[in-house]
Structures are given as C-alpha cells and as structure tokens.
Amino acid sequence: MLLSKLFDRFLPPDRRFNPEALAWVAVIFTAIVMLAVESSIAVGVHEAPVALAFIVTVIHAGSMPLSMLRPLFGAILSVIACGVLPLLGPYLSGAPWPWMVPMMITQILIILIVGLRAHWGVALAALLASIAISAAAAVFGHIQYPESGSDSSIVNIVVFSCIAGGFYVAAVIVQQWHLIRSQLLQEQENTAEEHSKRVVVEEKTRIARELHDIVAHSMSIINIQASSAPFRHPSIDSDVVKEFEDISVSARHALTEMRGLLGVLRNDDAGQQLAPQPKFSEVEGLVNKAQQAGVNVTMERSGGPLDRSLRDSTGLAGYRIVQEALSNAIRHATDSHIHIMIDSGGTALWINVVNTAGNGTSEVTKNELHRHQGLIGMRERAASVGGELRTGWNRDGGFEVEAVLPLAVADSRKDNSAKNDSGKSTSLKTDSDKTGSDKTGSHTNAGADSRNAGADTSDTGADSTGTGIDEASVQSQGDERSNA
C-alpha cells in the first residue's frame, strides 16, 4: 500500500496502480528469485539431486503465489516441501540444517502471506506445522547421520521459530487493523447514508410546516370571508347564506385537522422557529447583507413586479433557494464572484445563481463529513411548489444553480381581462368615429342626417349607459366572487 501511494504521486489520476495487482507482481517476482536461489543452494551446497531438488523447490516457491489464491492449500504444500527438502542431500557439518537460509526466507514469506490473506488460525497452524515438520526432519536426520550434532539443529529451529513468529504476529496485527479499518469505513458510509436520508426527511418536514402556515392563513381568510358574507351582503338569498355557512364550517374543520397535523410535524426545536417566514421581496436585503459582509455578489432583476401573482409558498421556496445557493457559493468557492439573475416575466419565476471558481473550498467546509445536503434541500423546495432545479459546473469552472418556479394562474386571467377591456374601448372608439363621420354628411341630407346623427348620438349614449351598467354589474359580481 505504501509503495502504491509512492508511485501514485508520479502518475496521472487515470493511471494509478492497483494495490492488488502490485502485490501479485511482487509475490511472483519474489517466488522466481527464491526458486533460483533455493534450488542452486540445495544442489550446490547441500549436494541434493538436481531433479528432485528442482521439483521440491518449485513446489515450495510456487506455494507463495498459490497462497494468494488458496492460503490453506499453499500452506499445506509449503510444509510438505519443508519436510522433504532437508532430507534430499547428506548432512554437512557447519551448514545451517534443517532450515537452509533460502528455504527459511521462503517459508517465512509464505506464513506472512497466509497471515495477511486468511484467518489468523490458518497462519498459526502453518507456523506450528513448519516447526513440527522441521523438528521431525532433524530427528530423522540425526538417526540417519549419527555424527550430526543436535545442538546446531535445535538452534536452527529456534531461530526460524522466532523470526517466523514475529512475522506471524505482524501479519495478524496488520490484518486485524485492515479489518477494523474496513468496518469503520463501512460504518461511516452507512452513517453518511442515514444522515442524508435524515436530512431529506427533516427538510421535507420543515417545508411541510412552512406550507402549513401558508395554507392555514389562507383557510383562515376563507373562513372569515364566508362567515361575514351574510352580514356584508344582507340582500343575498337564504340558499346562498346556507352555502356560505357550509363553506365556513368546512374551513374550520380543515383548520382543526391542520392543527393536529402541525402537532405531528413539530419537533423539539420548534420553539426556535417562531419567526415569520421570509418573502421573496426580501431577497434584495439578503444580497445587501452579503455585500456588507465583504462577499462579491451582484443581482440583476427583469420582468414585471411580483404582486398578487406570486404565491406565498413559491416566494418562500424562491427565497430559500437563493439563500442556500449564495451560502454554498460562499463556503465552496471562497473569494469568488457571485451573480444572481431573477426573471419574473411570463408564467414562471426564473432564478439563476452563478459563481466563479474562486480559491476553492474553505477550511471549515473541507472538514465537513456530509456534503451536498444543500442541493437536496433546494430540489425539495422546488419540487414542493411544482418547479424544477438544475445544478452543475459550467465551462469556466464555476457552479450554476437554476430554478424555475411556476407562478399563480391569476396572470392569465389578468391578461385576458386586460385584453377584453382594451377590446371594449376600441369598439367604443370605433362607434364614436362612425358617429363623427355621420355628422359630416352632405348639405342635401342635412336635416335627415342631423336627425340620424341625433338618433345615433342618443343610441351611442344609450350604449354607453348600457356599457356602464354592464361594467358595474361585472364589478359587483367580481366583488362577490372575491368575497366568496
């Protein structure tokens, strides 16, 4: 792992070393080297038969890469090779026996690999079996060669036991540390996932509480209007009075149910959230506060004024989106330029917040464990009012947040009424022009034309009077509908 990190510093991100592949390369290379050294020493120093020595050393050295795949099988083959190889040649006084140095190094590396790749019990069994098989080989060699001293064999076995035991303990410690680290990382991932889900749920609950306040206010107005309608309009029929009473009762029942729902949505910190909800018109104050704090932020607005066409829920969602986008830009792109564009023309409210790359993430933000929660909250805000939110990096390395929030349907009705009013005024102007043209007739039909003009004038006056009556009736009907 340390070697892979060392090489990764000098390699591009798309060509990093795989630690598993690097371990395989190291094990195979070491096995080839140990095969050459161990076979040559067994033949040249201990005078073992060439064919048998090569076969046994191939099995012994081949147990190293085999232990990477099958640790138990590799450990068994290595122990068998360690018991056979010392008995292939005659005993030589002064040479390390029964553990030759290359064979000792190979077996220690195999125990290390088994300790890292398998359960600690398998590696312990391989260590004890290696010590036992070498002791059996020493006893058998002492019986076969009585001149061999037992003290040197015992020292040789003790040296192997100490070195192999140390490597075994190190392998078990590394394996347990790696296991604990992987479990910790898994728990961190699970915690991060649970935290993200909890943040989404809390944000939805917060949106639901805010929407409750808006809807409860509207239902209260409906209740007051329906209850006071019979007193404000005493000339209405009894059936209409009964209908207003039903509307008032339904509104009161809805308010009672919503109060019960609010009791479920409130949490322990609800007492700290009693401040009035901000409106979209307060976005300019939000930008001014950021500018006073030293943030390089500008705002551009276009389109008509947002009066009655903007719902309270849409205005609150728009304000929160601008607030969160501005906060994210300040935290994740320090010393950057932030530009806010708001367009209220058409049937939707368009919000665009763009920031440059800046100097990167602040030190406080780098230590945060859970990120991207603000983007989740903004998406929930936009979805709660039927809108859309798009986020992503732009070509200049900055970040862009774009939200489209639909306005109320009142805009289309207002436009249609304005068009109808303009059409009526145009028709009246055309009639007056025709009347004026009738007045400028010829002298031969002056009397008749004057009478006709007078008649037309009287008709025009009647029409204008009728028009005034119609407008008054429409206005009274509009008042009744608005009161209802």
Side-chain angles (χ1 to χ4, degrees), residues 182-424:
S182 61
Q183 292 177 353
L184 180 61
L185 291 176
Q186 184 65 33
E187 290 297 328
Q188 289 179 352
E189 293 178 358
N190 296 337
T191 304
E193 184 178 358
E194 292 296 330
H195 179 77
S196 300
K197 293 180 179 179
R198 186 172 67 253
V199 167
V200 172
V201 173
E202 291 178 353
E203 187 65 22
K204 288 183 178 181
T205 305
R206 181 183 175 186
I207 295 173
R209 290 197 301 267
E210 294 174 352
L211 291 178
H212 165 270
D213 298 337
I214 296 172
V215 176
H217 175 70
S218 301
M219 293 298 295
S220 300
I221 293 176
I222 293 174
N223 181 26
I224 294 173
Q225 289 180 342
S227 300
S228 62
F231 302 97
R232 290 184 289 107
H233 303 281
S235 60
I236 59 178
D237 298 335
S238 60
D239 295 337
V240 180
V241 173
K242 182 65 170 58
E243 185 175 353
F244 277 123
E245 291 179 356
D246 294 339
I247 294 175
S248 177
V249 171
S250 299
R252 287 195 295 269
H253 288 173
L255 285 173
T256 303
E257 293 176 358
M258 291 188 67
R259 290 190 186 98
L261 177 63
L262 181 63
V264 177
L265 295 177
R266 293 295 183 190
N267 51 16
D268 297 335
D269 300 332
Q272 304 175 0
Q273 302 176 358
L274 299 179
Q277 300 298 335
K279 299 181 180 180
F280 191 75
S281 58
E282 301 178 14
V283 170
E284 295 181 357
L286 181 66
V287 174
N288 293 333
K289 289 182 180 179
Q291 291 175 347
Q292 294 174 1
V295 180
N296 186 8
V297 54
T298 57
M299 189 176 71
E300 176 184 354
R301 297 194 65 166
S302 61
L306 296 173
D307 44 9
R308 299 181 61 184
S309 61
L310 185 63
R311 296 175 295 174
D312 293 338
S313 58
T314 305
L316 177 60
Y319 179 88
R320 294 300 188 191
I321 289 174
V322 174
Q323 184 183 33
E324 185 63 32
L326 183 61
S327 176
N328 286 343
I330 295 173
R331 290 186 292 116
H332 296 281
T334 56
D335 299 333
S336 64
H337 174 68
I338 307 170
H339 184 62
I340 302 174
M341 292 181 291
I342 299 174
D343 185 10
S344 56
T347 61
L349 176 63
W350 181 73
I351 301 172
N352 185 266
V353 182
V354 182
N355 63 274
T356 58
N359 296 330
T361 307
S362 61
E363 294 297 331
V364 179
T365 310
K366 289 180 181 179
N367 298 326
E368 292 181 354
L369 298 178
H370 310 290
R371 297 184 179 181
H372 308 292
Q373 306 300 333
L375 299 180
I376 297 175
M378 286 190 288
R379 288 193 179 92
E380 295 293 337
R381 292 277 181 184
S384 64
V385 295
E388 296 180 357
L389 184 84
R390 292 183 292 271
T391 60
W393 302 97
N394 54 24
R395 297 179 180 178
D396 299 331
F399 197 77
E400 181 177 2
V401 176
E402 182 179 5
V404 180
L405 308 178
L407 299 177
V409 192
D411 287 344
S412 60
R413 294 179 179 176
K414 187 183 299 182
D415 296 338
N416 293 333
S417 62
K419 292 180 180 178
N420 294 333
D421 294 339
S422 63
K424 289 180 181 180

Side-chain angles (χ1 to χ4, degrees), residues 127-150:
L127 173 62
L128 297 179
S130 300
I131 297 174
I133 199 72
S134 61
V139 172
F140 184 80
H142 183 69
I143 295 175
Q144 186 177 3
Y145 304 104
E147 67 275 9
S148 62
S150 60

Side-chain angles (χ1 to χ4, degrees), residues 65 80 87 287:
I80 294 175
L87 301 178
V287 174

